[in-house]
Amino acid sequence: MSKTKVAILGATGAVGQRFVQLLENHPWFEVTALTGSDRSISKKYGDVCRWVLPGLIPEYAREMTVVPSDSDFDVQLVFSALPTHHARDLEPALAKKGYAICSNASACRTWKDVPIMIPEVNADHTRLIDIQKTQRDWSGFIVTNPNCTSTGLTIAFRALHDAFRIKRAFIVSMQALSGAGYPGVASLDILDNVIPYIGGEEEKVEREPLKMLGTFNGEKIDFAPMIFSAHTNRVAVIDGHLVVSSVEFENPVTPEDAKRVLVDFKAPEIVAGLPSAPKPVIVVREQDDRPQPRRDRDEGKGMASVVGRVRVDPIFHIKFANLAHNTIRGAAGGAILNGELLKAEGRI
């Protein structure tokens, strides 16, 4: 298989850096273009990128010249780490030019013809691409990955919903600082503190899983018939969003039954063989005090959904804690897995 040439939009930002890191020596993709802000254009990536990840800038990227995000790229696939306000116009323009776009931005997620993808959850939603291209007269297309808080949670909910049918859930997040990008939250705001508000997050957590857990009816996505109530909080953790949920099903479910279903959950065959797919998809911890961000966020190379503390809920049926690495599974890694699925399906 010859490697697919890819571009990374917004490559100097926190999520863009994850793309640069994760795509080093990727078996299917070769990065041939990096974009950045006006101050970075025409300069070497290694000279303008304030690298915030562990280790050094990958050698392949260090000497690459940063180009504008509206360039005519010699690539087949574009990974977008653009801020939402830039993505809103740039991504559709690139899709119209013929590029396949896997976006981490929220700009197009609510569009009826744009899928929000987690390959283990809704691989069949790529069929919405054909509707999108026809309706918009595009030769390219946009696929998005969800809000980073929704990702690990929706993977766990997929397993539980398929087995027991979820009716409603009460969700509380404790979200890492890296989810705010760089430079992110001021130290005087977050040290010795928890911030019980993240703009737009609660609406995304309450809505996006319903689309991903929904059904493609041949024309659009019928949202899953369930109700979520979410509280989102920013906490002084670098990486790893911890979410606790209380869930009600159509009929009572025991913790033992729920854990069995989570452990047994498998990705579709086409997804299980992708280079970035974690094995297993869901890791269940039995310890009373797990999962924890520092100890569990790198499970499955940062791509697994980690579940623990599955127990009886006195109001609903069960409650549990869920953890996912927000800049890997919930951002760059999730978008790369989407790109791998598109290549496996022959869409790029």
Side-chain angles (χ1 to χ4, degrees), residues 284-292 296 307-310:
V284 176
R285 295 282 191 236
E286 294 289 355
Q287 300 94 323
D288 291 338
D289 60 351
R290 302 284 281 275
Q292 298 176 17
D296 297 297
V307 175
R309 303 208 67 216
V310 183

Side-chain angles (χ1 to χ4, degrees), residues 8-21 34 45 51 81 332:
I8 302 172
L9 308 186
T12 59
V15 173
Q17 291 179 32
R18 278 292 185 194
F19 276 116
V20 170
Q21 181 190 61
L34 301 174
Y45 183 78
W51 192 255

Side-chain angles (χ1 to χ4, degrees), residues 231-285:
H231 293 263
T232 59
N233 307 273
R234 186 74 68 195
V235 298
V237 170
I238 296 174
D239 291 313
H241 286 353
L242 183 65
V243 182
V244 293
S245 301
S246 293
V247 186
E248 181 181 39
F249 302 93
E250 290 186 355
N251 295 294
V253 173
T254 67
E256 291 72 25
D257 287 340
K259 285 191 284 187
R260 173 182 50 79
V261 164
L262 292 165
V263 168
D264 290 345
F265 181 72
K266 299 289 191 298
E269 185 176 353
I270 192 172
V271 177
L274 300 177
S276 299
K279 300 177 183 62
V281 179
I282 300 172
V283 175
V284 176
R285 295 282 191 236

Side-chain angles (χ1 to χ4, degrees), residues 160-161 163-168 247-255 257-258 316-318:
L160 295 170
H161 184 61
F164 308 118
R165 314 307 295 176
I166 295 172
K167 289 179 63 177
R168 55 181 175 165
V247 186
E248 181 181 39
F249 302 93
E250 290 186 355
N251 295 294
V253 173
T254 67
D257 287 340
F316 292 168
H317 290 136
I318 65 165

